[in-house]
Amino acid sequence: MQKRKRSKKNACALVFEGGGMRASFSAAYSEALLKAGLTFPFVAGISAGSSLALNHVSKDWKRSIRQFVKTSGDARFGGVSHFLRGHGYFNSDFLYEGSVESGVVPFDWLTFCSNPSEVAISAFGAISGKTYVWHKADMPDALALMKLCRASSTMPILMNHITLFGEPLYDGGIGSYLGLSYKMAEDAGYERFILIATQPKGYRKKPFSPALSRLLRMRYQAYPRLLDALFSMPARYNRAAEKLEHLEKSGQALVIRPEFMNVHSTTLAHKKLTLIYQFARAQADRDIERIAAFL
């Protein structure tokens, strides 16, 4: 459900880029911002960034660390054996609704609701080609919220989709907002934002390899709009990244990028994820003053 755009010239939004397990970097910044008492009226995220955005508004940075660092060692989290059994490389049933229902990774629903900050996450419709955007008003309870978060995070091939609103939904990074997410803040009327990126400065996406292209066409031949969006995604992402750099130079955006990143979106090695989190936490301590100054 799209909200009417309103001007918020003096306000600053917080945006989390997607990136799978590279969110172990972003989790450290969520922790630093919350501990410093820095608040934002609008928090947006797509894919892994949707989990970070929801956790941030619930003021639960520990949940982000559990999701993207600590829980990776849990056999239910996913991996090659899960993928081979048809449950997806990332076990969506466990990671989203299952983690809340079982209490393994609870969600602080009351704090989320009482926080005046708005939230926005997004997913892509495989049949319609529609970019869905959801806000707090679209989240009546914690389980409904988790289903939307799951939809936003569902990477093709690697994760089993969820069907909502009459169609299979996939990673919001495929849609018009891409994984960078900042246009959701712009569409909500925000002219200034802080973006927690998960790729180093200058990163650009490359076209899919021939092997992956063949696999995608074979797997999703029933969804031509999904395939069109997937194959155009690298070029669209790169244009958005270029625009982001212009916004950064003009002073409209403060982009926090990792100084060190050796984690991929599919990394499940607990030691590597812990190391990235620790590096990010130290980087966040150095960055917190310039973030406060930008606000």
Side-chain angles (χ1 to χ4, degrees):
M1 183 177 71
Q2 286 277 13
K3 287 200 167 185
R4 186 166 58 90
K5 182 174 178 179
R6 298 181 221 173
S7 178
K8 302 176 179 71
K9 289 185 178 180
N10 298 318
C12 182
L14 175 64
V15 180
F16 289 102
E17 182 180 12
M21 299 309 290
R22 287 192 298 271
S24 51
F25 172 85
S26 312
Y29 271 84
S30 178
E31 175 185 359
L33 293 170
L34 287 168
K35 284 186 173 179
L38 300 178
T39 60
F40 300 83
F42 184 89
V43 184
I46 286 175
S47 195
S50 64
S51 289
L52 289 157
L54 296 171
N55 295 343
H56 194 86
V57 174
S58 73
K59 301 183 180 181
D60 192 357
W61 53 267
K62 291 183 180 179
R63 187 174 197 274
S64 292
I65 295 171
R66 283 196 292 271
Q67 284 185 294
F68 296 104
V69 182
K70 294 183 177 179
T71 317
S72 63
D74 192 312
R76 295 168 293 181
F77 194 93
V80 175
S81 62
H82 278 267
F83 182 76
L84 294 175
R85 293 198 303 270
H87 302 309
Y89 183 81
F90 293 107
N91 183 5
S92 301
D93 292 334
F94 168 71
L95 293 175
Y96 299 97
E97 307 100 298
S99 68
V100 172
E101 288 179 311
S102 66
V104 174
V105 189
F107 184 80
D108 191 340
W109 175 250
L110 292 179
T111 300
F112 176 81
C113 292
S114 62
N115 188 340
S117 298
E118 181 57 281
V119 72
I121 64 175
S122 177
F124 182 82
I127 297 173
S128 66
K130 175 181 176 180
T131 295
Y132 290 86
V133 182
W134 301 298
H135 302 86
K136 272 186 173 179
D138 305 301
M139 305 169 184
D141 54 56
L143 287 181
L145 173 151
M146 282 298 139
K147 288 179 180 180
L148 300 180
C149 184
R150 174 178 175 174
S152 178
S153 306
T154 299
M155 292 184 280
I157 304 292
L158 295 174
M159 298 171 71
N160 294 337
H161 71 262
I162 186 171
T163 297
L164 297 172
F165 313 108
E167 64 177 325
L169 299 183
Y170 284 91
D171 196 307
I174 302 168
S176 58
Y177 293 114
L178 304 159
L180 290 168
S181 314
Y182 66 85
K183 196 172 183 298
M184 283 199 290
E186 291 182 327
D187 283 356
Y190 291 88
E191 297 179 9
R192 300 175 66 247
F193 56 88
I194 293 173
L195 189 147
I196 310 299
T198 58
Q199 295 283 12
K201 188 174 179 64
Y203 170 79
R204 296 293 187 270
K205 284 188 182 296
K206 297 178 181 179
F208 297 129
S209 69
L212 180 55
S213 296
R214 286 194 297 271
L215 178 60
L216 288 168
R217 290 188 189 281
M218 182 175 64
R219 179 74 177 269
Y220 299 112
Q221 58 184 319
Y223 304 125
R225 288 193 172 112
L226 174 60
L227 288 173
D228 287 345
L230 280 168
F231 288 119
S232 68
M233 184 173 61
R236 291 185 292 117
Y237 177 96
N238 295 343
R239 288 194 296 270
E242 289 173 8
K243 180 187 173 183
L244 178 62
E245 290 176 0
H246 288 304
L247 293 172
E248 193 176 8
K249 289 175 183 176
S250 71
Q252 288 179 253
L254 174 62
V255 184
I256 304 295
R257 298 181 176 87
E259 296 172 359
F260 171 76
M261 178 57 70
N262 70 341
V263 162
H264 301 289
S265 61
T266 56
T267 298
L268 292 180
H270 181 72
K271 287 185 179 180
K272 273 193 171 184
L273 297 171
T274 300
L275 181 63
I276 285 297
Y277 162 75
Q278 290 171 343
F279 268 94
R281 196 64 187 83
Q283 183 179 329
D285 287 340
R286 297 192 297 273
D287 278 338
I288 203 70
E289 287 189 9
R290 74 183 179 116
I291 291 173
F294 184 83
L295 287 173

